[in-house]
Amino acid sequence: MKPSKEGKDLVSDEKLMSEFQNGNNKAFDEIVRRYKDRLTNFIYRYTGNYDDSDDIVQDTFVRVYTSKHLYKEIAKFSTWIYTIAINIAKTKVIKEKKFNKTSLTVETNDEEWELEISDNSVSPESLADSVLLSRHIQNALNSINEVYRELVILRDIENFSYEEIVEMTGLPMGTVKSRINRGRERLQEILKDIYEGQ
Amino acid sequence: MIQEEEKYREIIRLLNSLPRVKAKKGFEARLMERLRRQEDIVKTQVTEESLFNKFLSIFKPSFIPAVAVSAVILIAVIVYFSYFVSNGNDYSETNAISDPHKTEHLIYLRNDKDSYLTGKSNTDLSMNNTTSDKQSGPDYDHRSEISSLSKESPKHSNENIKADNETIVAEYNSGLEATKTESESRDNVISRNEKIGTDKKEKNTKVYDEINRLGLLPLAKAHKPEVDSSKQDSTKKNNQKDKKLKEEPEK
């Protein structure tokens, strides 16, 4: 999963970034062209909202543009830009979580409880449609803890190596592996009906 | 690790099979617009920072002595001028208070007015003057002389004024007899004027005799008080008028 080696891309991401740091704005355009879809997919799987993912990816590129001097060639560019995207996404998710929590909370005189969200379980027959299948998997992803979700997406959807994930998250290798496995386990439980159907 | 991957093989396959989501249309155009806005913000921030840095550059260590010296000079100028201005004001005020002539004038004017209005005796007023003079210090003798000189003339004039006032009041009170009293008072005035004239003449003759006795006649001739002919005529006329006035009431 190295964009610089994919297809006709001959120039590495790091080389493009160094050119952009030297004032070549066309290099930045090339970086945007290479990463806009990848980052959108990653953030969409993380947040589950397409509009939010678009905003977050735009913010990520703005951050890359304004903080270009902070990038050092010792790190891989892909891990650097993904780290920025994850941090922005986390901030946004935390903010929205607070907002949703208040909107879904009903306060009475003495008691306080959260409204239960209806179960969106899908029957095996209807899962034949691939769109519905992908939506169901996305719902399953959204239902697991963010800590697991982030690492599972990076490993199983974006296909980053464990080392790269360690570099991005700053977590120890053992923590990364255990969290990825726990996330997978949780997903397996949620998507059990799909296995049974298949 | 490979065993774990095998354990979750199905779920990994499902996650990999998810369709790749692409960015929205016009993503790059919107991004460029945002970047342009961001650059404007950065430019304004840079200008604000540069202004702030310029302000901070005043407080460089190399400027501290210059700033300190200028501050000291400024304070010294302010203190000097404030002291000078305040002293100037004090000087003018003390001058106004300590000037003996000004204070005397003030006192005399007030006392004369009071005496004229209330009819108090001048002796009391002169006593007041002396007491006030004693308070004012070393100029006491000089001013007491002046006050003693001023004792006679105001008294004399006040008596005259009182007499006149009495006659006027009598006119109002006596009704028909007013004309008589008026003529009497006129007689008094005439006789007083005559007296003053005779006193002056006597004084002049005395002075002339004294000068003659001392042998200063040539000089005295040069400065001999000549009786003005116009004045003589006017006195004659006045006398004639007085006589006529005397005769008229009788008629």
Side-chain angles (χ1 to χ4, degrees):
Chain A
M1 185 62 195
K2 291 174 183 174
S4 58
K5 289 174 185 173
E6 278 178 359
K8 294 174 185 177
D9 295 331
L10 299 170
V11 183
S12 68
D13 298 336
E14 289 76 24
K15 181 79 178 169
L16 281 171
M17 192 59 194
S18 68
E19 279 182 20
F20 173 53
Q21 282 176 326
N22 292 325
N24 185 3
N25 283 335
K26 282 183 179 176
F28 179 74
D29 294 341
E30 180 61 25
I31 289 165
V32 171
R33 195 184 62 76
R34 282 183 188 182
Y35 279 92
K36 64 177 182 179
D37 293 335
R38 288 179 65 189
L39 285 172
T40 305
N41 185 58
F42 167 62
I43 300 297
Y44 172 69
R45 296 300 170 199
Y46 183 72
T47 58
N49 189 310
Y50 190 55
D51 291 329
D52 283 351
S53 64
D54 187 67
D55 279 344
I56 291 164
V57 174
Q58 291 245 338
D59 287 343
T60 305
F61 282 115
V62 170
R63 188 78 62 85
V64 169
Y65 189 87
T66 53
S67 309
K68 60 184 177 185
H69 58 282
L70 295 174
Y71 173 70
K72 303 282 183 283
E73 266 198 57
I74 49 170
K76 272 185 82 176
F77 178 76
S78 60
T79 56
W80 187 65
I81 198 168
Y82 266 83
T83 310
I84 293 168
I86 289 163
N87 289 332
I88 293 167
K90 278 180 182 172
T91 317
K92 187 138 189 159
V93 165
I94 290 163
K95 279 181 184 173
E96 283 188 354
K97 226 180 178 183
K98 280 181 183 174
F99 178 75
N100 290 334
K101 211 171 188 178
T102 52
S103 67
L104 291 171
T105 305
V106 177
E107 284 182 22
T108 58
N109 289 333
D110 299 321
E111 292 177 275
E112 186 179 315
W113 72 91
E114 281 191 16
L115 293 171
E116 285 184 7
I117 300 163
S118 59
D119 184 20
N120 290 329
S121 58
V122 186
S123 64
E125 291 80 14
S126 64
L127 285 173
D129 193 349
S130 63
V131 175
L132 281 172
L133 178 68
S134 67
R135 197 174 288 172
H136 190 61
I137 295 165
Q138 184 62 51
N139 285 339
L141 272 171
N142 291 342
S143 66
I144 65 168
N145 196 311
E146 295 151 21
V147 177
Y148 307 137
R149 194 196 314 158
E150 175 196 346
L151 298 176
V152 167
I153 293 165
L154 284 170
R155 175 69 189 149
D156 295 334
I157 297 173
E158 296 298 320
N159 296 321
F160 280 104
S161 68
Y162 284 105
E163 288 77 17
E164 284 173 329
I165 295 165
V166 166
E167 198 179 333
M168 281 178 210
T169 57
L171 294 166
M173 182 63 88
T175 311
V176 168
K177 283 178 182 176
S178 66
R179 282 184 182 180
I180 288 167
N181 286 329
R182 277 185 196 174
R184 282 169 180 167
E185 203 176 311
R186 283 285 297 146
L187 281 171
Q188 212 166 23
E189 282 174 20
I190 296 162
L191 299 171
K192 206 183 342 180
D193 50 348
I194 298 169
Y195 300 125
E196 285 170 359
Q198 283 178 346
Chain B
M1 198 196 301
I2 295 163
Q3 283 175 350
E4 281 172 356
E5 297 260 330
E6 280 295 316
K7 192 180 168 184
Y8 302 110
R9 189 165 50 91
E10 279 302 313
I11 193 75
I12 292 164
R13 190 186 60 79
L14 269 175
L15 290 169
N16 265 317
S17 69
L18 281 169
R20 306 288 298 181
V21 178
K22 289 188 176 180
K24 278 185 181 178
K25 283 180 182 175
F27 178 87
E28 290 176 15
R30 280 184 285 119
L31 179 65
M32 292 305 148
E33 184 62 32
R34 280 185 72 169
L35 289 172
R36 247 179 256 126
R37 269 185 274 149
Q38 192 70 25
E39 274 186 340
D40 292 340
I41 292 163
V42 169
K43 275 179 187 175
T44 51
Q45 280 178 347
V46 165
T47 50
E48 281 171 6
E49 279 178 7
S50 64
L51 284 169
F52 186 68
N53 288 333
K54 275 182 184 176
F55 177 72
L56 284 179
S57 65
I58 296 165
F59 302 104
K60 277 180 181 174
S62 56
F63 281 114
I64 287 168
V67 171
V69 167
S70 57
V72 167
I73 290 165
L74 187 70
I75 290 162
V77 166
I78 290 163
V79 168
Y80 174 76
F81 276 105
S82 60
Y83 182 74
F84 177 75
V85 168
S86 65
N87 268 2
N89 288 336
D90 290 342
Y91 179 74
S92 61
E93 283 170 12
T94 48
N95 260 354
I97 293 160
S98 64
D99 190 355
H101 298 289
K102 282 181 184 176
T103 50
E104 270 180 23
H105 286 310
L106 283 167
I107 291 159
Y108 287 144
L109 279 168
R110 197 178 66 185
N111 288 338
D112 285 347
K113 201 175 183 181
D114 289 343
S115 67
Y116 183 75
L117 291 169
T118 57
K120 278 182 184 177
S121 64
N122 261 327
T123 51
D124 296 336
L125 296 169
S126 63
M127 282 299 284
N128 287 335
N129 285 339
T130 50
T131 49
S132 65
D133 288 338
K134 275 176 188 174
Q135 287 168 358
S136 63
D139 294 328
Y140 166 66
D141 294 334
H142 169 69
R143 275 173 282 173
S144 63
E145 281 177 20
I146 294 162
S147 64
S148 64
L149 285 167
S150 67
K151 274 179 186 177
E152 292 173 12
S153 58
K155 192 181 176 183
H156 187 68
S157 62
N158 280 337
E159 283 174 357
N160 291 334
I161 289 158
K162 275 183 180 177
D164 290 340
N165 285 337
E166 282 169 5
T167 51
I168 290 159
V169 170
E171 278 176 12
Y172 282 107
N173 290 333
S174 61
L176 291 170
E177 292 177 6
T179 48
K180 288 180 182 179
T181 51
E182 194 182 358
S183 63
E184 283 170 5
S185 67
R186 279 176 183 166
D187 290 339
N188 287 335
V189 171
I190 290 155
S191 62
R192 194 170 61 229
N193 287 336
E194 282 173 352
K195 265 186 178 180
I196 291 161
T198 49
D199 289 344
K200 279 182 180 176
K201 279 176 185 176
E202 281 174 4
K203 277 181 182 176
N204 286 335
T205 49
K206 277 179 182 178
V207 169
Y208 189 76
D209 292 338
E210 190 68 21
I211 289 162
N212 197 16
R213 195 174 59 80
L214 291 166
L216 297 167
L217 192 61
L219 287 168
K221 273 184 178 177
H223 297 284
K224 186 181 178 180
E226 291 176 0
V227 180
D228 196 3
S229 60
S230 62
K231 280 183 180 176
Q232 280 181 341
D233 292 338
S234 64
T235 49
K236 281 177 182 177
K237 281 176 183 176
N238 285 330
N239 289 332
Q240 284 174 357
K241 279 180 183 177
D242 291 336
K243 282 176 183 178
K244 280 178 182 177
L245 283 167
K246 279 180 182 177
E247 288 167 1
E248 277 175 1
E250 287 169 4
K251 284 175 182 178

